[in-house]
Amino acid sequence: VNNAGILIASPVDTLEERSWDAVMDVNAKGTFLVIQAVLPAMKRQGYGRIVNIASIGGKHGAPEQAHYSASKAAVMGFTRVLAQELGASGITANCVCPGIILTDMGRVNLDDPAVQKIWRSKTAQDRIGAPEDVVGPVAFFCSDDSAFVTGQTLNVDGGIVFS
């Protein structure tokens, strides 16, 4: 499970190259490097479950998050290619796209109760997600219950993005 991610908010016109690079390095390149590290063992055993954590931000973006959106879209595209390349090896690759989740990173943007109210109103469930809300979908993709599921992206967002 690739779950590392950072966000450094900035509008595009003032976004510094080092911020772009930092977000891409952790969110996209980090995912790539972890996969490369585990693939030899997975291929040897003829079995593996890869779950990459992307974001609904990679599907539709948000102001001041161009680089974050691009990095998470890259993770989704990378996952689809992994599924195609690795399926015959007994390895599945899927993505989970959390919405607004109260993690340490999420709290940075959700300190203001008014902002929380706005985000709650954008979800069909009228609430902000907790890390525990993401556990079940990740566990499913890690299990043999999802043995015939690969290359998929699942929104876990309380009903923000509908697909």
Side-chain angles (χ1 to χ4, degrees), residues 82-123:
L82 286 171
Q84 294 171 65
E85 290 185 5
L86 302 173
S89 300
I91 302 166
T92 63
N94 292 289
C95 260
V96 171
C97 286
I100 309 305
I101 307 292
L102 246 124
T103 60
D104 289 341
M105 188 172 80
R107 281 186 192 88
V108 170
N109 300 315
L110 298 168
D111 278 344
D112 183 351
V115 172
Q116 282 193 26
K117 183 178 180 182
I118 290 168
W119 278 111
R120 274 195 321 270
S121 73
K122 292 179 186 275
T123 70

PDB file of all heavy atoms in Angstrom, residues 82-123:
ATOM      1  N   LEU A  82       0.411  -0.674 -14.585  1.00  0.00           N
ATOM      2  CA  LEU A  82       0.855  -1.809 -13.762  1.00  0.00           C
ATOM      3  C   LEU A  82      -0.092  -2.990 -13.907  1.00  0.00           C
ATOM      4  O   LEU A  82       0.341  -4.141 -14.057  1.00  0.00           O
ATOM      5  CB  LEU A  82       0.933  -1.409 -12.289  1.00  0.00           C
ATOM      6  CG  LEU A  82       2.081  -0.525 -11.863  1.00  0.00           C
ATOM      7  CD1 LEU A  82       1.871  -0.043 -10.425  1.00  0.00           C
ATOM      8  CD2 LEU A  82       3.409  -1.261 -11.984  1.00  0.00           C
ATOM      9  N   ALA A  83      -1.398  -2.718 -13.854  1.00  0.00           N
ATOM     10  CA  ALA A  83      -2.384  -3.783 -13.969  1.00  0.00           C
ATOM     11  C   ALA A  83      -2.216  -4.536 -15.285  1.00  0.00           C
ATOM     12  O   ALA A  83      -2.281  -5.774 -15.320  1.00  0.00           O
ATOM     13  CB  ALA A  83      -3.801  -3.212 -13.851  1.00  0.00           C
ATOM     14  N   GLN A  84      -1.971  -3.810 -16.353  1.00  0.00           N
ATOM     15  CA  GLN A  84      -1.797  -4.440 -17.663  1.00  0.00           C
ATOM     16  C   GLN A  84      -0.505  -5.242 -17.744  1.00  0.00           C
ATOM     17  O   GLN A  84      -0.468  -6.339 -18.302  1.00  0.00           O
ATOM     18  CB  GLN A  84      -1.810  -3.373 -18.762  1.00  0.00           C
ATOM     19  CG  GLN A  84      -3.161  -2.689 -18.897  1.00  0.00           C
ATOM     20  CD  GLN A  84      -3.092  -1.507 -19.832  1.00  0.00           C
ATOM     21  OE1 GLN A  84      -2.848  -1.675 -21.022  1.00  0.00           O
ATOM     22  NE2 GLN A  84      -3.298  -0.311 -19.308  1.00  0.00           N
ATOM     23  N   GLU A  85       0.566  -4.710 -17.179  1.00  0.00           N
ATOM     24  CA  GLU A  85       1.858  -5.375 -17.245  1.00  0.00           C
ATOM     25  C   GLU A  85       1.966  -6.572 -16.307  1.00  0.00           C
ATOM     26  O   GLU A  85       2.694  -7.522 -16.595  1.00  0.00           O
ATOM     27  CB  GLU A  85       2.993  -4.393 -16.926  1.00  0.00           C
ATOM     28  CG  GLU A  85       3.224  -3.359 -18.003  1.00  0.00           C
ATOM     29  CD  GLU A  85       4.432  -2.474 -17.727  1.00  0.00           C
ATOM     30  OE1 GLU A  85       5.166  -2.705 -16.741  1.00  0.00           O
ATOM     31  OE2 GLU A  85       4.640  -1.532 -18.511  1.00  0.00           O
ATOM     32  N   LEU A  86       1.271  -6.537 -15.173  1.00  0.00           N
ATOM     33  CA  LEU A  86       1.507  -7.522 -14.118  1.00  0.00           C
ATOM     34  C   LEU A  86       0.405  -8.553 -13.947  1.00  0.00           C
ATOM     35  O   LEU A  86       0.572  -9.520 -13.207  1.00  0.00           O
ATOM     36  CB  LEU A  86       1.728  -6.800 -12.784  1.00  0.00           C
ATOM     37  CG  LEU A  86       2.874  -5.797 -12.762  1.00  0.00           C
ATOM     38  CD1 LEU A  86       2.888  -5.031 -11.457  1.00  0.00           C
ATOM     39  CD2 LEU A  86       4.199  -6.491 -13.008  1.00  0.00           C
ATOM     40  N   GLY A  87      -0.724  -8.363 -14.603  1.00  0.00           N
ATOM     41  CA  GLY A  87      -1.866  -9.245 -14.399  1.00  0.00           C
ATOM     42  C   GLY A  87      -1.556 -10.714 -14.606  1.00  0.00           C
ATOM     43  O   GLY A  87      -1.957 -11.568 -13.808  1.00  0.00           O
ATOM     44  N   ALA A  88      -0.808 -11.041 -15.660  1.00  0.00           N
ATOM     45  CA  ALA A  88      -0.486 -12.434 -15.938  1.00  0.00           C
ATOM     46  C   ALA A  88       0.480 -13.020 -14.913  1.00  0.00           C
ATOM     47  O   ALA A  88       0.640 -14.236 -14.838  1.00  0.00           O
ATOM     48  CB  ALA A  88       0.097 -12.563 -17.349  1.00  0.00           C
ATOM     49  N   SER A  89       1.098 -12.174 -14.109  1.00  0.00           N
ATOM     50  CA  SER A  89       2.033 -12.621 -13.062  1.00  0.00           C
ATOM     51  C   SER A  89       1.339 -12.891 -11.738  1.00  0.00           C
ATOM     52  O   SER A  89       2.006 -13.160 -10.737  1.00  0.00           O
ATOM     53  CB  SER A  89       3.117 -11.556 -12.843  1.00  0.00           C
ATOM     54  OG  SER A  89       3.848 -11.335 -14.015  1.00  0.00           O
ATOM     55  N   GLY A  90       0.011 -12.763 -11.704  1.00  0.00           N
ATOM     56  CA  GLY A  90      -0.718 -12.986 -10.456  1.00  0.00           C
ATOM     57  C   GLY A  90      -0.722 -11.787  -9.526  1.00  0.00           C
ATOM     58  O   GLY A  90      -1.019 -11.911  -8.340  1.00  0.00           O
ATOM     59  N   ILE A  91      -0.410 -10.621 -10.078  1.00  0.00           N
ATOM     60  CA  ILE A  91      -0.327  -9.392  -9.285  1.00  0.00           C
ATOM     61  C   ILE A  91      -1.432  -8.450  -9.732  1.00  0.00           C
ATOM     62  O   ILE A  91      -1.605  -8.215 -10.931  1.00  0.00           O
ATOM     63  CB  ILE A  91       1.047  -8.711  -9.470  1.00  0.00           C
ATOM     64  CG1 ILE A  91       2.167  -9.666  -9.063  1.00  0.00           C
ATOM     65  CG2 ILE A  91       1.125  -7.410  -8.683  1.00  0.00           C
ATOM     66  CD1 ILE A  91       3.556  -9.234  -9.521  1.00  0.00           C
ATOM     67  N   THR A  92      -2.184  -7.920  -8.786  1.00  0.00           N
ATOM     68  CA  THR A  92      -3.184  -6.909  -9.099  1.00  0.00           C
ATOM     69  C   THR A  92      -2.680  -5.545  -8.656  1.00  0.00           C
ATOM     70  O   THR A  92      -1.862  -5.433  -7.739  1.00  0.00           O
ATOM     71  CB  THR A  92      -4.538  -7.200  -8.414  1.00  0.00           C
ATOM     72  OG1 THR A  92      -4.366  -7.160  -7.000  1.00  0.00           O
ATOM     73  CG2 THR A  92      -5.091  -8.549  -8.836  1.00  0.00           C
ATOM     74  N   ALA A  93      -3.183  -4.510  -9.310  1.00  0.00           N
ATOM     75  CA  ALA A  93      -2.834  -3.135  -8.971  1.00  0.00           C
ATOM     76  C   ALA A  93      -4.095  -2.286  -9.064  1.00  0.00           C
ATOM     77  O   ALA A  93      -4.752  -2.265 -10.108  1.00  0.00           O
ATOM     78  CB  ALA A  93      -1.763  -2.593  -9.923  1.00  0.00           C
ATOM     79  N   ASN A  94      -4.436  -1.646  -7.967  1.00  0.00           N
ATOM     80  CA  ASN A  94      -5.635  -0.809  -7.902  1.00  0.00           C
ATOM     81  C   ASN A  94      -5.339   0.467  -7.137  1.00  0.00           C
ATOM     82  O   ASN A  94      -4.330   0.564  -6.435  1.00  0.00           O
ATOM     83  CB  ASN A  94      -6.773  -1.586  -7.225  1.00  0.00           C
ATOM     84  CG  ASN A  94      -7.245  -2.738  -8.074  1.00  0.00           C
ATOM     85  OD1 ASN A  94      -7.870  -2.554  -9.104  1.00  0.00           O
ATOM     86  ND2 ASN A  94      -6.926  -3.960  -7.648  1.00  0.00           N
ATOM     87  N   CYS A  95      -6.249   1.420  -7.269  1.00  0.00           N
ATOM     88  CA  CYS A  95      -6.118   2.721  -6.605  1.00  0.00           C
ATOM     89  C   CYS A  95      -7.320   2.987  -5.712  1.00  0.00           C
ATOM     90  O   CYS A  95      -8.447   2.636  -6.063  1.00  0.00           O
ATOM     91  CB  CYS A  95      -6.125   3.842  -7.646  1.00  0.00           C
ATOM     92  SG  CYS A  95      -4.541   4.484  -8.068  1.00  0.00           S
ATOM     93  N   VAL A  96      -7.059   3.648  -4.627  1.00  0.00           N
ATOM     94  CA  VAL A  96      -8.118   4.207  -3.792  1.00  0.00           C
ATOM     95  C   VAL A  96      -7.945   5.715  -3.850  1.00  0.00           C
ATOM     96  O   VAL A  96      -6.834   6.238  -3.700  1.00  0.00           O
ATOM     97  CB  VAL A  96      -8.021   3.691  -2.342  1.00  0.00           C
ATOM     98  CG1 VAL A  96      -8.977   4.439  -1.434  1.00  0.00           C
ATOM     99  CG2 VAL A  96      -8.307   2.195  -2.295  1.00  0.00           C
ATOM    100  N   CYS A  97      -9.054   6.419  -4.099  1.00  0.00           N
ATOM    101  CA  CYS A  97      -9.032   7.884  -4.171  1.00  0.00           C
ATOM    102  C   CYS A  97      -9.851   8.460  -3.019  1.00  0.00           C
ATOM    103  O   CYS A  97     -11.068   8.660  -3.149  1.00  0.00           O
ATOM    104  CB  CYS A  97      -9.615   8.364  -5.494  1.00  0.00           C
ATOM    105  SG  CYS A  97      -8.537   8.095  -6.884  1.00  0.00           S
ATOM    106  N   PRO A  98      -9.190   8.745  -1.898  1.00  0.00           N
ATOM    107  CA  PRO A  98      -9.917   9.367  -0.796  1.00  0.00           C
ATOM    108  C   PRO A  98     -10.359  10.782  -1.162  1.00  0.00           C
ATOM    109  O   PRO A  98      -9.749  11.449  -2.000  1.00  0.00           O
ATOM    110  CB  PRO A  98      -8.888   9.411   0.336  1.00  0.00           C
ATOM    111  CG  PRO A  98      -7.849   8.407  -0.047  1.00  0.00           C
ATOM    112  CD  PRO A  98      -7.819   8.426  -1.541  1.00  0.00           C
ATOM    113  N   GLY A  99     -11.410  11.185  -0.494  1.00  0.00           N
ATOM    114  CA  GLY A  99     -11.862  12.568  -0.606  1.00  0.00           C
ATOM    115  C   GLY A  99     -11.269  13.376   0.536  1.00  0.00           C
ATOM    116  O   GLY A  99     -10.081  13.280   0.825  1.00  0.00           O
ATOM    117  N   ILE A 100     -12.096  14.139   1.192  1.00  0.00           N
ATOM    118  CA  ILE A 100     -11.644  14.977   2.303  1.00  0.00           C
ATOM    119  C   ILE A 100     -11.622  14.099   3.556  1.00  0.00           C
ATOM    120  O   ILE A 100     -12.662  13.726   4.087  1.00  0.00           O
ATOM    121  CB  ILE A 100     -12.587  16.186   2.501  1.00  0.00           C
ATOM    122  CG1 ILE A 100     -12.796  16.915   1.173  1.00  0.00           C
ATOM    123  CG2 ILE A 100     -12.047  17.110   3.566  1.00  0.00           C
ATOM    124  CD1 ILE A 100     -11.525  17.356   0.475  1.00  0.00           C
ATOM    125  N   ILE A 101     -10.421  13.788   4.001  1.00  0.00           N
ATOM    126  CA  ILE A 101     -10.220  12.878   5.126  1.00  0.00           C
ATOM    127  C   ILE A 101      -9.463  13.625   6.220  1.00  0.00           C
ATOM    128  O   ILE A 101      -8.483  14.311   5.937  1.00  0.00           O
ATOM    129  CB  ILE A 101      -9.416  11.626   4.703  1.00  0.00           C
ATOM    130  CG1 ILE A 101     -10.044  10.944   3.482  1.00  0.00           C
ATOM    131  CG2 ILE A 101      -9.257  10.663   5.872  1.00  0.00           C
ATOM    132  CD1 ILE A 101     -11.387  10.300   3.710  1.00  0.00           C
ATOM    133  N   LEU A 102      -9.910  13.463   7.447  1.00  0.00           N
ATOM    134  CA  LEU A 102      -9.261  14.145   8.573  1.00  0.00           C
ATOM    135  C   LEU A 102      -7.981  13.426   8.991  1.00  0.00           C
ATOM    136  O   LEU A 102      -7.939  12.713   9.978  1.00  0.00           O
ATOM    137  CB  LEU A 102     -10.226  14.263   9.751  1.00  0.00           C
ATOM    138  CG  LEU A 102     -10.551  15.726   9.994  1.00  0.00           C
ATOM    139  CD1 LEU A 102     -12.029  15.954   9.954  1.00  0.00           C
ATOM    140  CD2 LEU A 102      -9.975  16.174  11.284  1.00  0.00           C
ATOM    141  N   THR A 103      -6.951  13.598   8.191  1.00  0.00           N
ATOM    142  CA  THR A 103      -5.613  13.121   8.508  1.00  0.00           C
ATOM    143  C   THR A 103      -4.796  14.331   8.950  1.00  0.00           C
ATOM    144  O   THR A 103      -5.305  15.463   8.947  1.00  0.00           O
ATOM    145  CB  THR A 103      -4.949  12.513   7.264  1.00  0.00           C
ATOM    146  OG1 THR A 103      -4.864  13.539   6.260  1.00  0.00           O
ATOM    147  CG2 THR A 103      -5.749  11.334   6.731  1.00  0.00           C
ATOM    148  N   ASP A 104      -3.533  14.116   9.265  1.00  0.00           N
ATOM    149  CA  ASP A 104      -2.685  15.257   9.605  1.00  0.00           C
ATOM    150  C   ASP A 104      -2.625  16.243   8.447  1.00  0.00           C
ATOM    151  O   ASP A 104      -2.708  17.450   8.646  1.00  0.00           O
ATOM    152  CB  ASP A 104      -1.272  14.793   9.977  1.00  0.00           C
ATOM    153  CG  ASP A 104      -1.232  14.076  11.312  1.00  0.00           C
ATOM    154  OD1 ASP A 104      -2.186  14.235  12.117  1.00  0.00           O
ATOM    155  OD2 ASP A 104      -0.249  13.349  11.569  1.00  0.00           O
ATOM    156  N   MET A 105      -2.498  15.745   7.224  1.00  0.00           N
ATOM    157  CA  MET A 105      -2.466  16.628   6.064  1.00  0.00           C
ATOM    158  C   MET A 105      -3.814  17.319   5.888  1.00  0.00           C
ATOM    159  O   MET A 105      -3.876  18.510   5.590  1.00  0.00           O
ATOM    160  CB  MET A 105      -2.103  15.853   4.799  1.00  0.00           C
ATOM    161  CG  MET A 105      -1.874  16.751   3.600  1.00  0.00           C
ATOM    162  SD  MET A 105      -1.212  15.883   2.167  1.00  0.00           S
ATOM    163  CE  MET A 105      -2.686  15.136   1.502  1.00  0.00           C
ATOM    164  N   GLY A 106      -4.897  16.587   6.058  1.00  0.00           N
ATOM    165  CA  GLY A 106      -6.223  17.164   5.907  1.00  0.00           C
ATOM    166  C   GLY A 106      -6.528  18.240   6.932  1.00  0.00           C
ATOM    167  O   GLY A 106      -7.179  19.242   6.626  1.00  0.00           O
ATOM    168  N   ARG A 107      -6.043  18.046   8.147  1.00  0.00           N
ATOM    169  CA  ARG A 107      -6.317  19.016   9.212  1.00  0.00           C
ATOM    170  C   ARG A 107      -5.725  20.389   8.914  1.00  0.00           C
ATOM    171  O   ARG A 107      -6.254  21.404   9.348  1.00  0.00           O
ATOM    172  CB  ARG A 107      -5.785  18.500  10.550  1.00  0.00           C
ATOM    173  CG  ARG A 107      -6.688  17.484  11.189  1.00  0.00           C
ATOM    174  CD  ARG A 107      -6.189  17.089  12.597  1.00  0.00           C
ATOM    175  NE  ARG A 107      -6.908  15.935  13.060  1.00  0.00           N
ATOM    176  CZ  ARG A 107      -6.547  14.672  12.819  1.00  0.00           C
ATOM    177  NH1 ARG A 107      -5.452  14.419  12.152  1.00  0.00           N
ATOM    178  NH2 ARG A 107      -7.281  13.674  13.254  1.00  0.00           N
ATOM    179  N   VAL A 108      -4.631  20.411   8.162  1.00  0.00           N
ATOM    180  CA  VAL A 108      -4.015  21.694   7.798  1.00  0.00           C
ATOM    181  C   VAL A 108      -5.027  22.566   7.070  1.00  0.00           C
ATOM    182  O   VAL A 108      -5.101  23.768   7.282  1.00  0.00           O
ATOM    183  CB  VAL A 108      -2.759  21.464   6.928  1.00  0.00           C
ATOM    184  CG1 VAL A 108      -2.247  22.760   6.337  1.00  0.00           C
ATOM    185  CG2 VAL A 108      -1.683  20.764   7.732  1.00  0.00           C
ATOM    186  N   ASN A 109      -5.826  21.942   6.204  1.00  0.00           N
ATOM    187  CA  ASN A 109      -6.816  22.677   5.421  1.00  0.00           C
ATOM    188  C   ASN A 109      -8.170  22.767   6.112  1.00  0.00           C
ATOM    189  O   ASN A 109      -9.045  23.474   5.645  1.00  0.00           O
ATOM    190  CB  ASN A 109      -6.998  22.002   4.054  1.00  0.00           C
ATOM    191  CG  ASN A 109      -5.720  21.972   3.268  1.00  0.00           C
ATOM    192  OD1 ASN A 109      -5.014  22.956   3.185  1.00  0.00           O
ATOM    193  ND2 ASN A 109      -5.410  20.822   2.706  1.00  0.00           N
ATOM    194  N   LEU A 110      -8.347  22.039   7.207  1.00  0.00           N
ATOM    195  CA  LEU A 110      -9.667  21.949   7.829  1.00  0.00           C
ATOM    196  C   LEU A 110      -9.708  22.486   9.256  1.00  0.00           C
ATOM    197  O   LEU A 110     -10.600  22.136  10.016  1.00  0.00           O
ATOM    198  CB  LEU A 110     -10.146  20.490   7.819  1.00  0.00           C
ATOM    199  CG  LEU A 110     -10.322  19.883   6.437  1.00  0.00           C
ATOM    200  CD1 LEU A 110     -10.515  18.379   6.538  1.00  0.00           C
ATOM    201  CD2 LEU A 110     -11.482  20.525   5.704  1.00  0.00           C
ATOM    202  N   ASP A 111      -8.746  23.316   9.615  1.00  0.00           N
ATOM    203  CA  ASP A 111      -8.733  23.895  10.964  1.00  0.00           C
ATOM    204  C   ASP A 111      -9.929  24.799  11.219  1.00  0.00           C
ATOM    205  O   ASP A 111     -10.444  24.868  12.317  1.00  0.00           O
ATOM    206  CB  ASP A 111      -7.440  24.692  11.207  1.00  0.00           C
ATOM    207  CG  ASP A 111      -6.277  23.801  11.601  1.00  0.00           C
ATOM    208  OD1 ASP A 111      -6.522  22.639  11.986  1.00  0.00           O
ATOM    209  OD2 ASP A 111      -5.133  24.276  11.520  1.00  0.00           O
ATOM    210  N   ASP A 112     -10.374  25.479  10.196  1.00  0.00           N
ATOM    211  CA  ASP A 112     -11.466  26.444  10.310  1.00  0.00           C
ATOM    212  C   ASP A 112     -12.810  25.710  10.233  1.00  0.00           C
ATOM    213  O   ASP A 112     -13.094  25.038   9.239  1.00  0.00           O
ATOM    214  CB  ASP A 112     -11.339  27.459   9.179  1.00  0.00           C
ATOM    215  CG  ASP A 112     -12.381  28.553   9.227  1.00  0.00           C
ATOM    216  OD1 ASP A 112     -13.329  28.470  10.026  1.00  0.00           O
ATOM    217  OD2 ASP A 112     -12.237  29.506   8.435  1.00  0.00           O
ATOM    218  N   PRO A 113     -13.665  25.833  11.259  1.00  0.00           N
ATOM    219  CA  PRO A 113     -14.980  25.171  11.226  1.00  0.00           C
ATOM    220  C   PRO A 113     -15.827  25.568  10.018  1.00  0.00           C
ATOM    221  O   PRO A 113     -16.590  24.756   9.503  1.00  0.00           O
ATOM    222  CB  PRO A 113     -15.641  25.621  12.532  1.00  0.00           C
ATOM    223  CG  PRO A 113     -14.504  25.983  13.430  1.00  0.00           C
ATOM    224  CD  PRO A 113     -13.422  26.509  12.532  1.00  0.00           C
ATOM    225  N   ALA A 114     -15.676  26.799   9.543  1.00  0.00           N
ATOM    226  CA  ALA A 114     -16.434  27.238   8.362  1.00  0.00           C
ATOM    227  C   ALA A 114     -15.994  26.462   7.121  1.00  0.00           C
ATOM    228  O   ALA A 114     -16.822  26.095   6.285  1.00  0.00           O
ATOM    229  CB  ALA A 114     -16.262  28.739   8.147  1.00  0.00           C
ATOM    230  N   VAL A 115     -14.694  26.193   7.022  1.00  0.00           N
ATOM    231  CA  VAL A 115     -14.174  25.412   5.897  1.00  0.00           C
ATOM    232  C   VAL A 115     -14.674  23.971   6.001  1.00  0.00           C
ATOM    233  O   VAL A 115     -15.076  23.371   4.998  1.00  0.00           O
ATOM    234  CB  VAL A 115     -12.631  25.475   5.853  1.00  0.00           C
ATOM    235  CG1 VAL A 115     -12.074  24.517   4.818  1.00  0.00           C
ATOM    236  CG2 VAL A 115     -12.166  26.899   5.579  1.00  0.00           C
ATOM    237  N   GLN A 116     -14.686  23.427   7.200  1.00  0.00           N
ATOM    238  CA  GLN A 116     -15.210  22.073   7.390  1.00  0.00           C
ATOM    239  C   GLN A 116     -16.669  22.000   6.948  1.00  0.00           C
ATOM    240  O   GLN A 116     -17.076  21.042   6.297  1.00  0.00           O
ATOM    241  CB  GLN A 116     -15.093  21.647   8.859  1.00  0.00           C
ATOM    242  CG  GLN A 116     -13.710  21.220   9.252  1.00  0.00           C
ATOM    243  CD  GLN A 116     -13.696  20.515  10.597  1.00  0.00           C
ATOM    244  OE1 GLN A 116     -14.686  19.928  11.016  1.00  0.00           O
ATOM    245  NE2 GLN A 116     -12.561  20.568  11.265  1.00  0.00           N
ATOM    246  N   LYS A 117     -17.437  23.023   7.299  1.00  0.00           N
ATOM    247  CA  LYS A 117     -18.861  23.041   6.928  1.00  0.00           C
ATOM    248  C   LYS A 117     -19.028  23.049   5.408  1.00  0.00           C
ATOM    249  O   LYS A 117     -19.885  22.340   4.868  1.00  0.00           O
ATOM    250  CB  LYS A 117     -19.544  24.251   7.550  1.00  0.00           C
ATOM    251  CG  LYS A 117     -21.022  24.310   7.280  1.00  0.00           C
ATOM    252  CD  LYS A 117     -21.677  25.495   7.957  1.00  0.00           C
ATOM    253  CE  LYS A 117     -23.167  25.506   7.653  1.00  0.00           C
ATOM    254  NZ  LYS A 117     -23.842  26.641   8.240  1.00  0.00           N
ATOM    255  N   ILE A 118     -18.202  23.817   4.730  1.00  0.00           N
ATOM    256  CA  ILE A 118     -18.265  23.878   3.265  1.00  0.00           C
ATOM    257  C   ILE A 118     -17.980  22.503   2.675  1.00  0.00           C
ATOM    258  O   ILE A 118     -18.702  22.026   1.804  1.00  0.00           O
ATOM    259  CB  ILE A 118     -17.272  24.928   2.718  1.00  0.00           C
ATOM    260  CG1 ILE A 118     -17.758  26.335   3.079  1.00  0.00           C
ATOM    261  CG2 ILE A 118     -17.082  24.776   1.211  1.00  0.00           C
ATOM    262  CD1 ILE A 118     -16.726  27.427   2.856  1.00  0.00           C
ATOM    263  N   TRP A 119     -16.921  21.853   3.164  1.00  0.00           N
ATOM    264  CA  TRP A 119     -16.575  20.535   2.629  1.00  0.00           C
ATOM    265  C   TRP A 119     -17.630  19.495   2.974  1.00  0.00           C
ATOM    266  O   TRP A 119     -17.945  18.638   2.152  1.00  0.00           O
ATOM    267  CB  TRP A 119     -15.185  20.094   3.092  1.00  0.00           C
ATOM    268  CG  TRP A 119     -14.126  20.711   2.237  1.00  0.00           C
ATOM    269  CD1 TRP A 119     -13.228  21.671   2.596  1.00  0.00           C
ATOM    270  CD2 TRP A 119     -13.882  20.428   0.859  1.00  0.00           C
ATOM    271  NE1 TRP A 119     -12.438  22.007   1.518  1.00  0.00           N
ATOM    272  CE2 TRP A 119     -12.818  21.255   0.446  1.00  0.00           C
ATOM    273  CE3 TRP A 119     -14.451  19.561  -0.061  1.00  0.00           C
ATOM    274  CZ2 TRP A 119     -12.320  21.228  -0.854  1.00  0.00           C
ATOM    275  CZ3 TRP A 119     -13.953  19.534  -1.365  1.00  0.00           C
ATOM    276  CH2 TRP A 119     -12.902  20.364  -1.741  1.00  0.00           C
ATOM    277  N   ARG A 120     -18.171  19.558   4.174  1.00  0.00           N
ATOM    278  CA  ARG A 120     -19.246  18.626   4.532  1.00  0.00           C
ATOM    279  C   ARG A 120     -20.415  18.766   3.565  1.00  0.00           C
ATOM    280  O   ARG A 120     -20.991  17.771   3.130  1.00  0.00           O
ATOM    281  CB  ARG A 120     -19.721  18.863   5.967  1.00  0.00           C
ATOM    282  CG  ARG A 120     -18.924  18.141   7.012  1.00  0.00           C
ATOM    283  CD  ARG A 120     -19.619  18.099   8.362  1.00  0.00           C
ATOM    284  NE  ARG A 120     -20.314  19.314   8.733  1.00  0.00           N
ATOM    285  CZ  ARG A 120     -19.790  20.340   9.399  1.00  0.00           C
ATOM    286  NH1 ARG A 120     -18.531  20.304   9.789  1.00  0.00           N
ATOM    287  NH2 ARG A 120     -20.502  21.392   9.693  1.00  0.00           N
ATOM    288  N   SER A 121     -20.741  20.003   3.232  1.00  0.00           N
ATOM    289  CA  SER A 121     -21.889  20.243   2.348  1.00  0.00           C
ATOM    290  C   SER A 121     -21.656  19.722   0.934  1.00  0.00           C
ATOM    291  O   SER A 121     -22.598  19.513   0.189  1.00  0.00           O
ATOM    292  CB  SER A 121     -22.230  21.733   2.306  1.00  0.00           C
ATOM    293  OG  SER A 121     -21.260  22.444   1.558  1.00  0.00           O
ATOM    294  N   LYS A 122     -20.404  19.498   0.559  1.00  0.00           N
ATOM    295  CA  LYS A 122     -20.094  18.983  -0.777  1.00  0.00           C
ATOM    296  C   LYS A 122     -20.224  17.472  -0.864  1.00  0.00           C
ATOM    297  O   LYS A 122     -20.203  16.907  -1.960  1.00  0.00           O
ATOM    298  CB  LYS A 122     -18.678  19.397  -1.192  1.00  0.00           C
ATOM    299  CG  LYS A 122     -18.532  20.893  -1.427  1.00  0.00           C
ATOM    300  CD  LYS A 122     -17.103  21.231  -1.805  1.00  0.00           C
ATOM    301  CE  LYS A 122     -16.899  22.712  -1.905  1.00  0.00           C
ATOM    302  NZ  LYS A 122     -17.257  23.272  -3.187  1.00  0.00           N
ATOM    303  N   THR A 123     -20.354  16.805   0.278  1.00  0.00           N
ATOM    304  CA  THR A 123     -20.469  15.344   0.259  1.00  0.00           C
ATOM    305  C   THR A 123     -21.935  14.936   0.379  1.00  0.00           C
ATOM    306  O   THR A 123     -22.714  15.575   1.084  1.00  0.00           O
ATOM    307  CB  THR A 123     -19.686  14.686   1.419  1.00  0.00           C
ATOM    308  OG1 THR A 123     -20.326  14.961   2.656  1.00  0.00           O
ATOM    309  CG2 THR A 123     -18.239  15.155   1.454  1.00  0.00           C
TER     310      THR A 123
END
